[in-house]
Each structure stands twice: as structure tokens, then as C-alpha cells.
Amino acid sequence: MALDSTTGEVVIAEQLKQFLLVLSVSLGVATLPQIFSWLRRIPYTLLLVIVGLGLAFVNVRLINLSPELILMIFLPPLLFEAAWNLKWSDLKRDLLPICLYAVVGVIISIAGVALGLHQFAGLELSIALLVGASLSATDPVSVTALFRELGASKRLRTLMEGESLFNDGMAVVAFGLLVALPLGNAKLDLQSALLEFFQVVGIGISVGGLIGFGISYLTQRFDLPLVEQSLTLVSAYSTYLITEYLGGSGVIGVVTTALILGNFGSRIGMNPRTRIIVTEFWEFLAFFVNSIVFLLIGDQIRFAVLGDNLKTIAVTIAAMIVGRAVSIYALSSLSNWLAKSEIPLSEQTVLTWGGLRGSVSIALALSVPAILPQREEIIATVFGVVLFTLLVQGLTIQPLLEKLQLLGSQPLRQKYTEAIARQVALQRVLEYLETAQKRPGIQPEFYDYQKTLLSGEIIFLQEEIDKLLDEYPNLQEFSTEELRRELLAIEADTYAEFVRAGKLNKELSPFLQTNYDGTDGKQ
């Protein structure tokens, strides 16, 4: 017994050392763009993959990457953070194309990859379908992090993030159905497949809805920021585990919970200060987990195995890109016709090329049963394709966005917002300095020096703002819209205080959400 205890302690100590090593390397990579300015053009997540590849090339393996580790530890917080920040008003506007991409698009992707591998690589149809299912979902971890760093337009991010969040559930269901085919344990039955799909999705939405609304109303009863923050973390993992235990999609469950808490619970049950604390906590957690996941993706590559399967990987890449293009262009045209979505051809092109694969695909491939003879070939193929999408497609998305002029005025708006924020901050500092003028021990010379310094900086910032407005008149509309949203947010926060105090009917929450988003406001 004592020997087992000692062995367990040694294993835990070794795992802790590996974890600290991974963390040290990933955080070290975060500082590289600050040292080498030319690295700033490479998204942080892709830089981690490149560093991981370098470690794999010299055969330095940081830690074993298992599907359980990704799906049960890493995936829930990443899904929760992305869905928490996804506004329902934006999602609702493009719900039809997102659902088409996430459901029909997955089917087209599986069929395209399977057909290509069966015809041109000679793989058995059951194995080809399994590879297609593993690669059918665009990865929310990769896509969300990349588009945010590049500053893509809000609608483009909503389309890509919405699809990425929802198509994981569809991909996992498809993989679960198809993994039994090569083992001879099941036959492909459309009726059974549809029944299981609706069951898995239904359980996910039901559990996610119950937990989301339950926590939303629970947080109305108290104002404890750290407790409310902890509840969101518990809800992410508990939703995933409970949903999976009940036979549903943990991915769908977590996304549902986060959407409810981010769009409903945080408005009626959290004050503005708590919302900021919770949002910043999830941003940190997403950065933390992203740093580990992307580094390990690169570090797990086996170059010798990839070399043995280059033909299969190449065929899969070609089939995947063609299938992605067919699904995006065709489904976008259908959505434009049915719902007047007005998704332009340029955005469809970015959606096509931006369909990166990542940790979810790797987790599905690694979960292929060991008794399957083609398991190593499946894993090598999926790893090779994921590597291609992250490095080749990922590194060329920014030039593509610039070429298609889809980054628009996003960098300019960011520069303008930073100038405004700094001016407001310095103005508040100056106002505080005025109140501290007569404080004992403060010399007049120091006060005058600080006042002159602050006033000069405020004047300089005002000149910079005026110059930006003169050179780019469209910023005036942006500034007006931002102020309108701020006014609506203050109004909504006031209503939320009345709701929490029990003085206002809780059924006004949709009204609060509408006001906050400013979608129906007529000011």
C-alpha cells in the first residue's frame, strides 16, 4: 500500500513538472512578438503551433495529448468563453446560414472527403467516412482566436464562430455513428442516424437550458462577484459532463448554457462590475487554455508517420477544400435566397478558406478504437490536415482579408478608440488632481507640473482625434454609434438594478437585451 502511494506521488510530481514546462514554454512564446516586431504579423495561436513543431522536430515531447484531456478539460472553457461573448442579436440575424453551415455543411464535408479518399487514395469507404467525420467540424478554438486577433468584421466573426460552435455537436454525432462501421458493429441507417442526432442535440439543449436559466435566476439572489464567477466555471464543466453522461452532446450543452448566461443571466443577475470581472476571467482562461492546446498540437506531430501518408494527406486536403467551397458557396446562395442574408461573395471566400481544423479533429482521431488496423493512418491523416489548415490557411487568412478589403476600418477604429479612451482616462486623472490640490504635503510646484503635463497630453490627444476625424469622416458615424450603445447600456443596467431589487417585472429581460444591443432602439 505504501509503495502504491509513493508511486502515485511520483506520477503526480512528474505530471506537475510537465505541466509547468508546457506553461513556461507557452507563456515564453507570448513574449516573442514583443522582442521581435516582425513576429507580430503572425497570430499568437499559430506562433504556438510553429514553436510546438520545432520541439517535435528535435523530438522534445512535452506531454501526451489524449482525446479525454482535450474534450473534458480544454474544450468546455474554450466553448464557454466563445459563446459567452456571442450576442444573441447577432446570432439571430444569421441563424439560418449558421445552421445550414453547421448541419448540412458537415454532411457535405464528410461526403466530399470520403468520396475523395475512396476514389483517389483507395481507402475503404467506412475508413474514408471516419476520416471525413473527424475533419468535418471547423474548430472553434482555432477560428475564434484567429479572427479576433486579425480584427475581422463583427458579422464575419459571428458567422464563423456560430458555425464553429454548433457544428462540433454535429461532427461528434456523425463520428459516433460512423466509428462502428469499420468494426462491423453497425450499418448506416438514415432513420436511426436522424433519431440519434435529434436525441443528442435535444439532450444538449435541454440540459444547457436548465443549467443556464437556473444559474441566471440564482445569481439574482446575491451579489458576490467571486461566487458568480465560480458558478460560471462550474456550469461549463458540469454541463459538459452531465450532458455526456445522459447521452447528449456536451458541446451543444456548454454552448447553450454560455449563450443563456452571457445574454440573459449576466443582464438580470449580475451588476455591471460583476459582468466585467466574469468576462475578464474567461478571457484569461481562454488565453491560458489556448496557449497549452496550440503548443501541444504542434508538439504531437510525428514527422516520420506524416511522411509515410503524404499521398493520403494530400488527397484529403484537396477533397476537404473542394467540399468546403461547395458547401459554403451553395449554402450561402440558398440562405441569400431564402432569408435575404446578403452574404457577399468576398465573405463566402473567407469563410471557405477560414475553415480551420484543430483540437476537436485531433481528439476525434485519437479516440478511434485501437483494434482498428487503420488507426495510425487515420491519426496521421488528420494530424497532417490539421497542420495544413493551421499553418497554410491560417497564415494566409490575413493577406486574404486585406486583399478582399474585409478588414475595413477595424484597425483605424481601434486606433481611434484607444485615443478616446486615453483622453477620457487622463481627463479623469486631471479632475482628481484638482481635488487633491490642497492635500497636506503637496507642493504647488509638483501640482503645477503634473497639471501642465496632463493638460498638454490631453490637448495632443484631441489634436490626434480631430485629425483622424478630418481624414476619415466615417469615424464620426462610428463614434455616434458607440455613444448610443453606451447610453443604451446605462439604461439597461439601471433596469437590471430594479429587477435585482424586485421592483421590476422579470419578464422585461427581452426588453433589456433589445435595449442593450441597440437593435431596435430608435434614438
Side-chain angles (χ1 to χ4, degrees), residues 169-180:
M170 180 69 179
V172 171
V173 173
F175 182 87
L177 292 171
L178 296 172
V179 74

Side-chain angles (χ1 to χ4, degrees), residues 449-467:
Y449 173 75
Q450 292 294 332
K451 182 177 181 180
T452 303
L453 192 67
L454 289 167
S455 299
E457 185 66 20
I458 290 171
I459 292 172
F460 172 77
L461 287 168
Q462 186 60 52
E463 291 174 352
E464 183 179 350
I465 291 168
D466 292 338
K467 183 180 178 181

